[in-house]
């Protein structure tokens, strides 16, 4: 599972209010502190997450206040030589420093536990632990490992004059993403942040040609239907979307 650095794209320019600017500065400071804590905590670590015992190999990506690391299944106790191929996973680690971060973690975990579908990333394990050195809570989400996001191929192809996908492959990926969204909507949830960086790909496990595509990053998920009774409520929803989602 991959998480890329979020980039906001705007088609219009808005002058931020003093309150919004202050919130932005405060959030930037919180995120900076969280990322520093996670970076210092990562190397040479082992984790117990949902019955899995894994060890840290390397960081894959970062985004928001989360790090995604490549981890490998390992035995408890001292390392012993083994010829058995060890399974690898993606470990999403988040430092919880605010009520908003706590709510986002809880939303993502609830959504992943609630929606069981081949085209929505599967939650293998979840664990929270207290970091004694800093007195912080760290949330750990163990997820299947995917090779890349759709956006990776788009970035690589940019400026080369070649298409990142064939028409047939693109339709196949779009169909799987649509099936994942349909499963979420049928479960009473909406994703809120569908974009190329949140559609992950890996070769099919059955050995046939093509790729498996899943939706990931459900931290912004919410109810599929939301009543809007006034202009004030509509503005509040729009402001929440600008803060919590990054899709263009």
């Amino acid at each position: 599972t991959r998480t890329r650095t979020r980039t906001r794209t705007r088609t219009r320019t808005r002058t931020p209010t003093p309150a919004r600017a202050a919130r932005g500065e405060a959030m930037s400071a919180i995120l900076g502190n969280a990322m520093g804590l996670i970076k210092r905590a990562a190397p040479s670590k082992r984790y117990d997450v949902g019955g899995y015992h894994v060890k840290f190999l390397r960081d894959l990506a970062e985004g928001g206040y989360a790090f995604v690391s490549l981890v490998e299944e390992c035995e408890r106790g001292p390392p012993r030589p083994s010829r058995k191929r060890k399974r690898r996973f993606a470990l999403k680690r988040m430092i919880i420093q605010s009520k908003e971060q706590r709510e986002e973690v809880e939303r993502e975990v609830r959504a992943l536990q609630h929606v069981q579908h081949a085209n929505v990333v599967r939650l293998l394990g979840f664990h929270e632990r207290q970091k004694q050195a800093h007195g912080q809570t760290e949330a750990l989400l163990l997820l299947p490992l995917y090779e890349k996001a759709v956006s990776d191929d788009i970035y690589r192809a940019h400026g080369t004059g070649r298409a990142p996908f064939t028409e047939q492959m693109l339709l196949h990926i779009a169909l799987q993403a649509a099936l994942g969204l349909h499963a979420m909507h049928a479960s009473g949830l909406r994703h809120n942040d569908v974009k190329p960086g949140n559609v992950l790909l890996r070769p099919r496990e059955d050995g046939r040609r093509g790729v498996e595509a899943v939706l990931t990053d459900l931290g912004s998920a919410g109810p599929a239907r939301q009543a809007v009774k006034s202009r004030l409520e509509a503005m509040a929803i729009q402001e929440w979307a600008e803060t919590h989602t990054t899709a263009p």
Side-chain angles (χ1 to χ4, degrees):
T1 298
R2 301 280 302 278
T3 303
R4 297 192 60 88
T5 304
R6 295 182 171 184
T7 304
R8 299 184 181 275
T9 303
R10 292 284 180 265
T11 56
R12 55 194 173 90
T13 302
R14 297 180 60 182
T15 302
T17 62
R20 184 176 297 169
R23 286 198 301 271
E25 292 175 1
M27 182 58 65
S28 296
I30 291 173
L31 295 181
N33 291 336
M35 299 308 289
L37 291 174
I38 295 177
K39 284 183 176 180
R40 291 194 294 270
S44 304
K45 284 289 185 179
R46 294 190 176 197
Y47 304 90
D48 286 301
V49 188
Y52 293 83
H53 190 61
V54 297
K55 65 179 181 180
F56 172 89
L57 295 180
R58 61 182 173 88
D59 284 321
L60 294 175
E62 64 182 81
Y65 60 96
F67 252 77
V68 178
S69 303
L70 176 65
V71 296
E72 184 177 72
E73 196 172 26
C74 64
E75 297 180 355
R76 289 174 172 82
R80 292 181 292 180
S82 174
R83 294 184 178 181
K84 182 180 178 182
R85 184 178 178 84
K86 296 177 180 178
R87 295 179 295 175
R88 291 186 171 186
F89 308 96
L91 182 67
K92 185 173 184 178
R93 300 178 293 117
M94 295 169 281
I95 294 292
I96 301 174
Q97 293 186 298
S98 66
K99 179 182 177 182
E100 184 179 38
Q101 291 171 345
R102 161 69 62 188
E103 291 172 349
E104 183 168 338
V105 169
E106 291 177 350
R107 277 197 304 270
E108 182 159 9
V109 172
R110 281 197 305 268
L112 289 171
Q113 291 174 337
H114 188 60
V115 183
Q116 302 292 321
H117 190 270
N119 299 119
V120 177
V121 71
R122 187 160 52 101
L123 179 65
L124 301 175
F126 171 69
H127 179 65
E128 282 190 12
R129 65 176 191 170
Q130 296 296 318
K131 296 178 62 62
Q132 296 180 356
H134 305 285
Q136 303 290 340
T137 300
E138 184 179 42
L140 306 173
L141 282 71
L142 191 67
L143 307 165
L145 182 64
Y146 287 81
E147 289 188 346
K148 57 186 177 181
V150 170
S151 56
D152 294 340
D153 283 345
I154 295 175
Y155 296 146
R156 277 193 288 267
H158 181 70
T160 65
R162 63 177 179 83
F165 303 101
T166 66
E167 183 176 322
Q168 183 178 7
M169 185 181 294
L170 189 60
L171 289 172
H172 184 59
I173 293 170
L175 175 60
Q176 293 183 73
L179 290 172
L181 277 177
H182 178 72
M184 290 191 67
H185 297 165
S187 299
L189 295 172
R190 67 178 187 272
H191 188 285
N192 276 333
D193 200 16
V194 178
K195 59 181 181 180
N198 284 340
V199 180
L200 304 181
L201 306 175
R202 70 179 178 187
R204 291 174 58 126
E205 291 186 334
D206 58 11
R208 297 168 60 186
R209 293 184 61 185
V211 295
E212 295 178 5
V214 298
L215 295 175
T216 190
D217 201 356
L218 274 62
S220 297
R225 294 183 179 275
Q226 186 169 359
V228 179
K229 300 179 180 178
S230 67
R231 183 173 180 273
L232 188 62
E233 289 183 358
M235 293 176 63
I237 293 172
Q238 182 178 351
E239 184 170 341
W240 183 93
E242 291 178 350
T243 305
H244 292 81
T245 67
T246 58

